[in-house]
Amino acid sequence: MSPRLQGIEEFVAAVEAGSFARAAERLHVTRSAVAKSIARLEARLGTRLFLRTTRSQSLTEEGHGYYERCRRVLAELDAAEAMADAARSTAAGLVRLSMPAMLGRLKVGPLLLALARRHPGLSLELSFNDRRVDLVEDGLDLAIRSGELADSAELVARPVGVQWMALCAAPAYLAERGRPGSVAELGASSSTSSSHEAVLYARDGQISPWRFHDAEGRPVEVVLPSRLRCDSAEVLLEAAIGGMGLARLPAWLAADALAAGTLVRVFEEPRPFGFELNVIRSRSRYLPHKTRVVVDWLAEHLPPLLAAR
């Protein structure tokens, strides 16, 4: 790197992130490395760019002017890199991706293995877990999230499908306990001494209510009594097949059991309910070709795998 460019990326990152520590996280370096780079930059320029105290930092007048020019320089460099990147016919480099555990193992993982076979220069580091990750803190390029996303100026999201939910039970269970005919009947039974019970998804001690749309399309939440609560939908599937209760499952996960007749739908929903899936990434001036290839691949190939309702 030209000596004239040294420290500029760290300086711009520190301004935009609001602190040396957050800039270090964004650049995947240590805080001291950012501080030393900026100190050398200030020494080379012969001026102070930041006014720093133990509690805050702010730009000097010279720092404001220098930041605006450096920002434009980096934007031009990023645009040039993006043009060169886009000219590649194959993806190359490492992409780090986190995803929900079950969905990742059964659907996303096989898709990404197929992508890696098409691009021998592409390396993947995959994390399968259901916790809400922080892209910068965890050093990730991408993450797949299910459900509503909070508004964020720091993240970019792209839809990659919907996990439609199905209410299922074993035929023997329904023969013994009876069969609710609608969301309204199910909701009424949840507040009475109903003979129905459920197998429920729960994580960190928190039960996830079942979500439906009623006949008018309004959102409805239902929670039934349960003897089994766990954080594995695969275990809930097996429990439902075994007759332990009603289960609210991703339709793609229940599809084989429904086709085999070991599970049946409890009732047809006039308006299916689903959780949108998004691939998220940190907002940046340009998207590397390797990352774009992964996102495009998922956006093209994942939705059909989740299409069952």
Side-chain angles (χ1 to χ4, degrees):
M1 178 184 292
S2 167
R4 298 183 66 188
L5 295 177
Q6 290 177 357
I8 288 179
E9 186 174 16
E10 291 84 352
F11 167 64
V12 170
V15 175
E16 295 178 349
S19 73
F20 286 10
R22 286 194 289 271
E25 292 174 352
R26 180 180 294 185
L27 297 173
H28 304 296
V29 297
T30 64
R31 184 193 180 286
S32 63
V34 171
K36 289 176 181 177
S37 292
I38 293 175
R40 286 193 291 267
L41 177 62
E42 289 177 322
R44 189 171 76 247
L45 296 174
T47 189
R48 295 186 67 183
L49 300 173
F50 285 107
L51 295 173
R52 293 185 290 276
T53 69
T54 56
R55 298 192 175 194
S56 66
Q57 70 177 39
S58 60
L59 286 170
T60 62
E61 183 177 349
E62 294 82 359
H64 276 291
Y66 192 65
Y67 165 69
E68 290 300 327
R69 287 166 176 77
C70 288
R71 183 178 59 81
R72 290 196 289 269
V73 167
L74 288 183
E76 288 298 320
L77 286 174
D78 286 342
E81 288 184 18
M83 288 180 60
D85 213 7
R88 299 179 185 172
S89 59
T90 60
L94 175 64
V95 177
R96 299 179 177 89
L97 174 64
S98 174
M99 67 201 80
M102 177 195 66
L103 178 71
R105 291 196 306 270
L106 299 181
K107 296 296 182 181
V108 181
L111 275 183
L112 293 178
L113 293 180
L115 177 64
R117 288 193 291 270
R118 293 169 63 98
H119 296 273
L122 179 66
S123 299
L124 298 171
E125 187 174 302
L126 308 180
S127 175
F128 302 91
N129 64 77
D130 292 326
R131 70 181 178 88
R132 186 58 61 95
V133 298
D134 183 292
L135 294 178
V136 173
E137 185 176 320
D138 293 315
L140 296 167
D141 300 293
L142 300 168
I144 297 178
R145 287 188 180 167
S146 176
E148 297 179 0
L149 296 175
D151 290 336
S152 173
E154 300 297 321
L155 300 175
V156 176
R158 181 169 175 184
V160 289
V162 177
Q163 285 202 98
W164 300 104
M165 304 302 290
L167 183 63
C168 305
Y173 172 89
L174 294 177
E176 178 184 349
R177 302 290 190 97
R179 189 171 195 155
S182 66
V183 176
E185 287 185 31
L186 186 68
S189 71
S190 69
S191 59
T192 64
S193 56
S194 168
S195 61
H196 282 294
E197 60 183 317
V199 292
L200 298 176
Y201 186 89
R203 182 156 51 95
D204 299 328
Q206 299 296 313
I207 294 174
S208 297
W210 291 346
R211 299 173 69 182
F212 299 87
H213 292 111
D214 65 14
E216 285 73 40
R218 295 170 300 200
V220 176
E221 291 189 350
V222 175
V223 177
L224 292 177
S226 175
R227 292 190 298 125
L228 175 65
R229 296 171 291 277
C230 71
D231 61 0
S232 169
E234 293 164 285
V235 172
L236 298 181
L237 172 67
E238 293 303 317
I241 292 172
M244 287 191 64
L246 306 177
R248 189 73 163 147
L249 300 168
W252 63 263
L253 178 64
D256 288 345
L258 291 170
T262 52
L263 285 180
V264 296
R265 288 181 180 269
V266 177
F267 51 75
E268 292 300 323
E269 299 176 38
R271 180 180 169 188
F273 180 87
F275 294 96
E276 187 173 79
L277 289 173
N278 287 278
V279 176
I280 63 167
R281 61 178 177 85
S282 296
R283 190 178 297 277
S284 59
R285 285 178 288 269
Y286 85 101
L287 180 62
H289 181 63
K290 61 182 181 179
T291 310
R292 184 185 303 111
V293 165
V294 172
V295 173
D296 288 346
W297 182 262
L298 292 175
E300 178 182 358
H301 295 281
L302 188 54
L305 300 181
L306 307 175
R309 295 194 187 191

